[in-house]
Structures are given as structure tokens and as C-alpha cells.
């Protein structure tokens, strides 16, 4: 397995602890971070994380940011459209969008064609945790040559949940249903046992925080190093 670990500090408030952890990880070689946004509509939390984004950006030009936008379509301040536009301006490497942000896949496609007209490679789709294959979503990814999939390992909205193994089946759905395998990022519920038991080569990026979480930033760094060795 040759993957990348992305710290996903959704449960960490911005402050000195956040800054210390992020700086240690970045200086150790973890150059990609996962940033979550929420509008208190698609999920029951409001996550506006521009303070984190600006700090991470200032750590160095090698920093790469991935956005997971858990927001509904609309005119509100934290709509998926407004957050996406700002993430594009901030130079995010990948931006993952929920199909549930829109009434249907046709609306999602119109949004993609408008907002990502010149940035097709940045666009990604979120596949939520569920027990059955989402045939419409797999077909959407294939028909529109979507290059990036964020597969949730837990229900969206909060950290520290137990990993759902049906996530691996959903990744396999895209592997079998798409002529070109998308890049796959797995988000949430990670443990060292989960990583050890996932078949090698099916996941490109692992996003999480609970797996390394500790009050001591040096222990977080040690655990991140261990993950790097495993993946």
C-alpha cells in the first residue's frame, strides 16, 4: 500500500494546540490536510474554518488542502456554492461535494459544470456510508469521468465514530463500475487495526484525527509516523 495520511482536525478548535499539532505534522512531512466545512443544514453543525485554512497555508508553499463541504445548495452564507467558490480561490487541491447538497444529480451536474468548468481535476464526490451499492452515484462518476471519491467510513458530522466496514464494499463498487479507477480518500473511523485489515492498494488517502488524538502533540506526531509506515 502506498497511501497518504491527511490530518482531519474537525474536532480541534483553532488555537495554540491546533497550531502546535499542525506545525509539528507539517515539519515532519505531512504536507496534506483535510478541512471540513458545515452549514448547520446538511449536518447539524456550523463549521467555517478559514482561520485554519489561512494558518495551514502560511506553514509553507508545499501545503496541500482537501475540502469536505457538508453544506446545502442555496443563498445562505455557508452554502455549498459559496464555500466552493472560496475554496477554489484559496487553491484547494481537491474539493469534495455531497450529492445530498442538491435536489437531484442533474442539479449537481449543473453545479459542477458551472463551478468547476476550468477545474475538473479538483472536483470530487462524497460517497456516504451505506449498506447497499448506490448505482446512480457509480454511474454518475463513470459517465462524468469523476476523478476523486471521498468514501466516508462513518456517518457525516462528527469525529470519533466506529468504522463501518461497508465502506470497503462501496469503494469496490467504484473500482468495478468505473473504467478508470478514481482516486479514493477514506474519511473517518480509522484505527490501526482498520488500516492493517484493509486490502492494500484500494485507497490512496486516509483522513482522520481520532486515530492520532492525544493531549500531547509529540504523541500525535509519533502516531502519525506509525500510520505513515503502515500505509
Amino acid at each position: 500500500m502506498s497511501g497518504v495520511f491527511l490530518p482531519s482536525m474537525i474536532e480541534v478548535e483553532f488555537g495554540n494546540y491546533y497550531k502546535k499539532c499542525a506545525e509539528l505534522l507539517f515539519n515532519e512531512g505531512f504536507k496534506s490536510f483535510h478541512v471540513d466545512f458545515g452549514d448547520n443544514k446538511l449536518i447539524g453543525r456550523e463549521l467555517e474554518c478559514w482561520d485554519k485554512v489561512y494558518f495551514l497555508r502560511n506553514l509553507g508553499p508545499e501545503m496541500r488542502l482537501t475540502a469536505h463541504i457538508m453544506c446545502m445548495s442555496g443563498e445562505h452564507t455557508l452554502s455549498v456554492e459559496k464555500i466552493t467558490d472560496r475554496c477554489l480561490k484559496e487553491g484547494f487541491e481537491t474539493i469534495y461535494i455531497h450529492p445530498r447538497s442538491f435536489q437531484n444529480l442533474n442539479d449537481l451536474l449543473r453545479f459542477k459544470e458551472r463551478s468547476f468548468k476550468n477545474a475538473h481535476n479538483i472536483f470530487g464526490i462524497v460517497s456516504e456510508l451505506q449498506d447497499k451499492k448506490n448505482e446512480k452515484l457509480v454511474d454518475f462518476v463513470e459517465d462524468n469521468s469523476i476523478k476523486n471519491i471521498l468514501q466516508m467510513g462513518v456517518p457525516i458530522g462528527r469525529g470519533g465514530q466506529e468504522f463501518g466496514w461497508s465502506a470497503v464494499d462501496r469503494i469496490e463498487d467504484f473500482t468495478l463500475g468505473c473504467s478508470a479507477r478514481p482516486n479514493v480518500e477514506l474519511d473517518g473511523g480509522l484505527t490501526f487495526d482498520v488500516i492493517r485489515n484493509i486490502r492494500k492498494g484500494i485507497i490512496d488517502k486516509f483522513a482522520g484525527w481520532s486515530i492520532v488524538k492525544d493531549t500531547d502533540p509529540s504523541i500525535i506526531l509519533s502516531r502519525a509516523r506509525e500510520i505513515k509506515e503502515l500505509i
Side-chain angles (χ1 to χ4, degrees):
M1 186 183 299
S2 180
V4 177
F5 174 62
L6 284 70
S8 175
M9 302 166 75
I10 183 173
E11 301 297 338
V12 184
E13 291 186 9
F14 184 68
N16 290 334
Y17 173 76
Y18 180 97
K19 293 177 182 178
K20 179 66 173 179
C21 292
E23 190 171 18
L24 278 175
L25 289 163
F26 179 81
N27 290 336
E28 182 67 17
F30 295 91
K31 307 296 187 182
S32 296
F33 279 66
H34 177 109
V35 182
D36 294 285
F37 297 89
D39 64 351
N40 202 25
K41 296 180 186 295
L42 184 63
I43 60 169
R45 303 177 64 181
E46 186 173 297
L47 301 169
E48 187 174 10
C49 306
W50 302 114
D51 47 4
K52 295 181 179 181
V53 171
Y54 298 144
F55 177 79
L56 293 172
R57 273 271 173 258
N58 287 330
L59 288 177
E62 312 97 316
M63 176 60 75
R64 301 290 181 266
L65 297 179
T66 289
H68 176 195
I69 302 180
M70 295 175 280
C71 303
M72 292 298 295
S73 174
E75 297 298 326
H76 54 290
T77 303
L78 297 177
S79 70
V80 64
E81 291 89 352
K82 292 177 181 177
I83 297 297
T84 294
D85 287 346
R86 192 161 174 183
C87 285
L88 286 168
K89 290 178 182 177
E90 294 295 336
F92 274 66
E93 183 177 57
T94 310
I95 300 173
Y96 293 109
I97 305 296
H98 278 265
R100 283 200 294 125
S101 295
F102 301 87
Q103 290 188 355
N104 53 59
L105 290 177
N106 287 332
D107 287 350
L108 170 61
L109 183 57
R110 281 190 286 269
F111 161 79
K112 173 189 174 296
E113 291 176 342
R114 181 180 66 253
S115 296
F116 293 86
K117 182 178 180 180
N118 300 313
H120 177 72
N121 291 344
I122 294 174
F123 179 80
I125 282 288
V126 180
S127 171
E128 295 195 39
L129 184 65
Q130 56 186 47
D131 294 330
K132 296 181 180 180
K133 178 181 179 180
N134 187 335
E135 293 188 11
K136 290 183 178 179
L137 187 59
V138 174
D139 289 344
F140 182 87
V141 169
E142 169 66 6
D143 293 343
N144 295 285
S145 302
I146 307 301
K147 298 182 180 299
N148 306 294
I149 300 293
L150 180 66
Q151 176 59 57
M152 298 305 301
V154 296
I156 64 171
R158 61 183 178 87
Q161 301 180 78
E162 184 176 349
F163 184 75
W165 281 98
S166 60
V168 177
D169 296 329
R170 302 293 72 81
I171 292 170
E172 192 70 12
D173 293 339
F174 291 105
T175 301
L176 297 174
C178 298
S179 53
R181 188 183 80 86
N183 298 314
V184 177
E185 181 174 331
L186 181 61
D187 180 15
L190 295 180
T191 66
F192 287 101
D193 284 340
V194 167
I195 292 175
R196 292 187 188 100
N197 284 287
I198 290 177
R199 180 166 59 84
K200 292 184 178 181
I202 68 170
I203 298 168
D204 303 287
K205 300 176 182 178
F206 296 79
W209 186 250
S210 295
I211 187 172
V212 297
K213 180 180 177 181
D214 195 90
T215 56
D216 185 344
S218 66
I219 294 177
I220 289 172
L221 183 60
S222 176
R223 290 173 179 169
R225 288 174 180 148
E226 187 176 348
I227 293 171
K228 188 175 182 179
E229 292 298 317
L230 283 176
I231 63 177

